[in-house]
Amino acid sequence: MRIVVALGGNALQADGKPATAESQLEVVKETSIYLADMIQNGHELIIAHGNGPQIGRLVIQNEYASKITPAMPFDVCGAMSQGMIGYHIQQALKDELKKRGINKSVSSIITQVVVDKNDKGFKNPTKPIGPFYDEEESKKLQEEKGYIMVEDAGRGYRRVVASPEPQKIVELDTVKILVNAGQVVITVGGGGIPVVETVNNSLEGVAAVIDKDLAAERLAEDLDADVFLILTAVDRVAINFGKPNQQNLAAMSIEEAEKYAIEGQFAPGSMLPKVKAAIKFAASKSGRKTIIASLEKAKDSLSLTGKSGTVVAENFFNFI
């Protein structure tokens, strides 16, 4: 199957470990084992990934060093994070494939994604970036730097920035050429570098972070993928999460997923954007399906037996 894989933050950076390049590479090496398992099974992978913690840290580094060297704009920091993470994934995955005797090229594409300059996301920042802070640190950052800080799923406070919806992947033709040549392609990293089209049809970077699941969904549609695989820290989507009556779901129809989203079953900063992206892909064409699963059980979820992951499809009974 042709599969667009959206890697969550746990696939790039482990909780409790230092946020260093060396630590990230070690986590990515573990992630590459699971990606290589799917490739070894004959699947064609196109890989997308997030960059929330990384771009946040790059922005902080630029701000603190601005008295020594000029700070880079937000969109440039996005490009830097995309290149850094893509480099780690392509290096680690290529090494893992070599160990298995699989001769496949792995390429990273620095990818721009067009957004609407009038997108409502610019007026209502919602995308968490950077590290977590306690309440006191959060208030200090709001006062001193003017950041918009929000509580993020009970884990602390984070800065939020604009998150416009993806409209068009600029380098899509390049991605298609490489995919059709049999390469494993890493693209729309961090949701892609957000750009707007100017009056003379040129592109201009903007200060924002596109949700990586929505950008990966756009990619999955454009590449006519069979499966959109969203990998995260949990094995299944749940309703009544954290309550005594929590229910882990093996499958949801599009209608059920929409109903649960309206009911507020999914946290805005974590599962909700994943479910929204899952619905969008499953509804885009008859027969398409999204799977939300943990990284560790990604290969098992593709068997569609209902033992791992949550399938979102027009009629999930066709797949389980």
Side-chain angles (χ1 to χ4, degrees), residues 43-118:
H43 298 302
E44 181 180 68
L45 296 194
I46 303 94
I47 301 167
H49 60 79
N51 72 341
Q54 291 83 3
I55 188 173
R57 293 183 187 281
L58 283 170
V59 169
I60 291 169
Q61 289 170 357
N62 272 265
E63 287 177 349
Y64 274 91
S66 61
K67 293 180 181 178
I68 302 170
T69 185
M72 293 294 105
F74 199 97
D75 59 310
V76 175
C77 289
M80 292 165 67
S81 70
Q82 197 179 87
M84 171 184 67
I85 297 167
Y87 156 61
H88 277 169
I89 296 173
Q90 70 181 30
Q91 183 185 84
L93 183 54
K94 180 65 176 178
D95 285 347
E96 183 62 31
L97 293 174
K98 275 183 183 178
K99 291 177 187 176
R100 303 179 186 215
I102 300 171
N103 184 25
K104 260 188 178 294
S105 294
V106 184
S107 302
S108 299
I109 305 296
I110 301 300
T111 315
Q112 303 169 94
V113 175
V114 175
V115 300
D116 184 348
K117 64 182 178 181
N118 297 314

Side-chain angles (χ1 to χ4, degrees), residues 18 23 28 47 74 80 83 95 101 130 148 188 198 240 246 280 282 298 311:
S23 178
V28 171
I47 301 167
F74 199 97
M80 292 165 67
D95 285 347
I148 300 173
V188 297
T198 64
N240 304 313
Q246 176 175 323
K280 195 169 187 297
V311 179

